[in-house]
Short mmCIF file of all heavy atoms in Angstrom, two decimals:
data_model
loop_
_atom_site.label_atom_id
_atom_site.label_comp_id
_atom_site.label_asym_id
_atom_site.label_seq_id
_atom_site.Cartn_x
_atom_site.Cartn_y
_atom_site.Cartn_z
N THR A 7 53.90 -10.06 -136.59
CA THR A 7 53.05 -9.11 -135.88
C THR A 7 53.80 -8.44 -134.76
O THR A 7 54.52 -9.10 -134.00
CB THR A 7 51.79 -9.81 -135.33
OG1 THR A 7 51.11 -10.45 -136.41
CG2 THR A 7 50.85 -8.82 -134.67
N LEU A 8 53.63 -7.13 -134.66
CA LEU A 8 54.12 -6.34 -133.54
C LEU A 8 52.92 -6.08 -132.65
O LEU A 8 52.00 -5.37 -133.03
CB LEU A 8 54.71 -5.01 -134.05
CG LEU A 8 54.94 -3.88 -133.07
CD1 LEU A 8 55.78 -4.31 -131.88
CD2 LEU A 8 55.57 -2.70 -133.76
N PHE A 9 52.90 -6.74 -131.50
CA PHE A 9 51.82 -6.55 -130.54
C PHE A 9 52.20 -5.45 -129.55
O PHE A 9 53.33 -5.40 -129.08
CB PHE A 9 51.54 -7.84 -129.76
CG PHE A 9 50.87 -8.90 -130.59
CD1 PHE A 9 51.59 -9.97 -131.08
CD2 PHE A 9 49.52 -8.82 -130.88
CE1 PHE A 9 50.98 -10.96 -131.84
CE2 PHE A 9 48.90 -9.80 -131.64
CZ PHE A 9 49.62 -10.87 -132.12
N VAL A 10 51.24 -4.60 -129.24
CA VAL A 10 51.44 -3.52 -128.28
C VAL A 10 50.37 -3.65 -127.20
O VAL A 10 49.18 -3.71 -127.50
CB VAL A 10 51.31 -2.14 -128.95
CG1 VAL A 10 51.56 -1.03 -127.94
CG2 VAL A 10 52.26 -2.02 -130.13
N CYS A 11 50.82 -3.71 -125.95
CA CYS A 11 49.88 -3.79 -124.84
C CYS A 11 49.19 -2.43 -124.69
O CYS A 11 49.83 -1.44 -124.36
CB CYS A 11 50.59 -4.16 -123.55
SG CYS A 11 49.47 -4.22 -122.14
N THR A 12 47.90 -2.39 -124.94
CA THR A 12 47.16 -1.13 -124.85
C THR A 12 46.67 -0.84 -123.44
O THR A 12 46.13 0.22 -123.17
CB THR A 12 45.96 -1.13 -125.80
OG1 THR A 12 45.11 -2.24 -125.49
CG2 THR A 12 46.43 -1.20 -127.25
N ASN A 13 46.86 -1.78 -122.55
CA ASN A 13 46.41 -1.60 -121.17
C ASN A 13 47.56 -1.21 -120.24
O ASN A 13 47.35 -1.05 -119.05
CB ASN A 13 45.75 -2.90 -120.67
CG ASN A 13 44.63 -2.63 -119.72
OD1 ASN A 13 43.96 -1.60 -119.81
ND2 ASN A 13 44.40 -3.55 -118.80
N CYS A 14 48.77 -1.06 -120.79
CA CYS A 14 49.91 -0.67 -119.96
C CYS A 14 49.62 0.65 -119.27
O CYS A 14 49.16 1.60 -119.90
CB CYS A 14 51.18 -0.56 -120.80
SG CYS A 14 52.04 -2.14 -121.00
N THR A 28 45.77 5.24 -122.11
CA THR A 28 46.90 4.69 -121.36
C THR A 28 48.18 4.94 -122.13
O THR A 28 48.17 5.27 -123.31
CB THR A 28 46.74 3.18 -121.16
OG1 THR A 28 46.76 2.54 -122.43
CG2 THR A 28 45.46 2.83 -120.41
N GLY A 30 50.16 2.68 -123.04
CA GLY A 30 50.18 1.66 -124.08
C GLY A 30 49.39 2.06 -125.31
O GLY A 30 49.84 1.83 -126.44
N SER A 31 48.23 2.66 -125.13
CA SER A 31 47.45 3.10 -126.29
C SER A 31 48.13 4.27 -126.99
O SER A 31 48.06 4.39 -128.21
CB SER A 31 46.00 3.43 -125.90
OG SER A 31 45.95 4.46 -124.96
N LEU A 34 50.82 2.61 -129.10
CA LEU A 34 50.21 1.98 -130.28
C LEU A 34 49.92 3.02 -131.35
O LEU A 34 50.24 2.82 -132.52
CB LEU A 34 48.93 1.24 -129.89
CG LEU A 34 48.14 0.64 -131.06
CD1 LEU A 34 48.92 -0.47 -131.74
CD2 LEU A 34 46.79 0.14 -130.57
N ILE A 52 50.79 -4.35 -137.17
CA ILE A 52 50.84 -3.85 -135.80
C ILE A 52 49.45 -4.07 -135.22
O ILE A 52 48.45 -3.71 -135.85
CB ILE A 52 51.21 -2.35 -135.76
CG1 ILE A 52 52.58 -2.13 -136.38
CG2 ILE A 52 51.16 -1.83 -134.33
CD1 ILE A 52 52.97 -0.67 -136.55
N ALA A 53 49.39 -4.69 -134.04
CA ALA A 53 48.10 -5.04 -133.46
C ALA A 53 48.07 -4.76 -131.96
O ALA A 53 49.07 -4.98 -131.27
CB ALA A 53 47.79 -6.51 -133.71
N PRO A 54 46.92 -4.33 -131.46
CA PRO A 54 46.78 -4.15 -130.02
C PRO A 54 46.54 -5.48 -129.33
O PRO A 54 46.02 -6.42 -129.93
CB PRO A 54 45.54 -3.26 -129.91
CG PRO A 54 44.73 -3.60 -131.11
CD PRO A 54 45.73 -3.93 -132.19
N VAL A 55 46.94 -5.55 -128.08
CA VAL A 55 46.63 -6.70 -127.24
C VAL A 55 46.26 -6.14 -125.88
O VAL A 55 46.81 -5.11 -125.45
CB VAL A 55 47.80 -7.71 -127.18
CG1 VAL A 55 49.01 -7.13 -126.50
CG2 VAL A 55 47.39 -9.01 -126.52
N LYS A 56 45.32 -6.76 -125.19
CA LYS A 56 44.81 -6.22 -123.93
C LYS A 56 45.84 -6.22 -122.82
O LYS A 56 45.97 -5.25 -122.09
CB LYS A 56 43.56 -7.00 -123.52
CG LYS A 56 42.87 -6.51 -122.29
CD LYS A 56 42.05 -5.29 -122.58
CE LYS A 56 41.19 -4.96 -121.37
NZ LYS A 56 40.55 -3.69 -121.51
N CYS A 57 46.60 -7.29 -122.67
CA CYS A 57 47.59 -7.34 -121.59
C CYS A 57 48.64 -8.41 -121.88
O CYS A 57 48.30 -9.49 -122.35
CB CYS A 57 46.92 -7.64 -120.25
SG CYS A 57 48.05 -7.56 -118.85
N MET A 58 49.90 -8.09 -121.59
CA MET A 58 50.99 -9.06 -121.72
C MET A 58 51.62 -9.35 -120.37
O MET A 58 52.68 -9.97 -120.30
CB MET A 58 52.05 -8.53 -122.69
CG MET A 58 51.61 -8.62 -124.12
SD MET A 58 52.97 -8.32 -125.27
CE MET A 58 52.59 -6.68 -125.80
N GLY A 59 50.98 -8.90 -119.30
CA GLY A 59 51.47 -9.21 -117.96
C GLY A 59 52.71 -8.44 -117.55
O GLY A 59 53.39 -8.84 -116.61
N SER A 66 54.82 -2.74 -122.72
CA SER A 66 55.30 -3.99 -123.31
C SER A 66 54.94 -4.06 -124.79
O SER A 66 53.83 -3.69 -125.19
CB SER A 66 54.68 -5.19 -122.60
OG SER A 66 55.08 -5.22 -121.26
N VAL A 67 55.88 -4.54 -125.59
CA VAL A 67 55.64 -4.85 -127.00
C VAL A 67 56.24 -6.22 -127.26
O VAL A 67 57.18 -6.64 -126.59
CB VAL A 67 56.23 -3.80 -127.97
CG1 VAL A 67 55.65 -2.42 -127.72
CG2 VAL A 67 57.74 -3.75 -127.91
N ALA A 68 55.68 -6.92 -128.23
CA ALA A 68 56.18 -8.25 -128.58
C ALA A 68 56.19 -8.41 -130.09
O ALA A 68 55.33 -7.85 -130.78
CB ALA A 68 55.31 -9.33 -127.94
N LEU A 78 59.98 -10.26 -126.57
CA LEU A 78 59.19 -9.38 -125.71
C LEU A 78 60.10 -8.29 -125.17
O LEU A 78 61.20 -8.57 -124.70
CB LEU A 78 58.58 -10.18 -124.54
CG LEU A 78 57.81 -9.38 -123.50
CD1 LEU A 78 56.54 -8.79 -124.09
CD2 LEU A 78 57.48 -10.27 -122.31
#
Side-chain angles (χ1 to χ4, degrees):
T7 304
L8 164 54
F9 288 103
V10 181
C11 179
T12 57
N13 214 30
C14 274
T28 64
S31 60
L34 175 66
I52 300 173
V55 65
K56 184 78 170 171
C57 186
M58 285 192 256
S66 297
V67 300
L78 176 67

